[in-house]
Amino acid sequence: MDPSYNEREVLALLQDESTQKRGFEMIVAQYSEQLYWQIRRMVLSHDDANDLLQNTFIKAWMSIDYFRAEAKLSTWLYKIAINECITFLNRQRVQNNVSIDDTDVFLLERLKGDEYFDGDAAQMKLQKAILTLPEKQRAVFNMKYFDDMKYEDMSEIFGTSVGALKASYHHAVKKVEEFLTKDI
């Protein structure tokens, strides 16, 4: 993250057609890494995460003229990224003939074969535990646990109350803890 990044200045650049591209380049530079990791935690594969990150920025660029600054740029981008992940995961479930209620084991298999995954057995077990969570709960868990994102920001992304998100995170933590301790 660039400490000199100023969202108001970037929004001004986006509103002028002659500086719009420069403003968007600043958005990409500012948010690429954090969006990549959010996507990667949802789909687990480096290559899929890169593709979905690119799709996220393409969708953002295509609709930048419709961005009204009612929310922060970051929450708007996260919303696009989460929707891209959900669409991708649903497509993968259909291709792998997996029920929406089943654990996304196909993702874990992909992770095991991912040359960019350098985690140990404990990291693999954590990922397996996280995969037992429903999609939205998984996204909430990832945002809070890994990024320490504020519930207010998540509320804008998901269009859900802060209280519901706190409950969702609490239930996710309990499920992950149960999974991690069940064979000890």
Side-chain angles (χ1 to χ4, degrees), residues 134-157:
E135 263 170 19
K136 185 176 176 184
Q137 200 173 58
R138 186 185 323 159
V140 169
F141 179 84
N142 286 336
M143 288 175 176
K144 189 67 183 164
Y145 182 80
F146 291 107
D147 297 336
D148 198 26
M149 186 179 284
K150 293 178 182 155
Y151 287 113
E152 291 76 15
D153 291 340
M154 284 190 271
S155 178
E156 287 185 38
I157 293 167

Side-chain angles (χ1 to χ4, degrees), residues 119-145:
D120 58 11
Q123 182 67 25
M124 187 63 77
K125 189 169 184 177
L126 175 62
Q127 289 303 327
K128 201 173 198 175
I130 294 170
L131 284 176
T132 65
L133 302 173
E135 263 170 19
K136 185 176 176 184
Q137 200 173 58
R138 186 185 323 159
V140 169
F141 179 84
N142 286 336
M143 288 175 176
K144 189 67 183 164
Y145 182 80

Side-chain angles (χ1 to χ4, degrees), residues 26-40:
M26 292 170 74
I27 291 170
V28 171
Q30 179 70 13
Y31 296 109
S32 285
E33 186 174 349
Q34 68 190 69
L35 284 172
Y36 167 83
W37 284 108
Q38 180 58 44
I39 293 167
R40 175 84 185 261

Side-chain angles (χ1 to χ4, degrees), residues 63-79:
S63 57
I64 198 70
D65 291 334
Y66 303 106
F67 179 72
R68 298 284 168 243
E70 293 163 1
K72 292 190 281 187
L73 275 166
S74 60
T75 55
W76 180 65
L77 291 168
Y78 266 90
K79 189 175 216 166

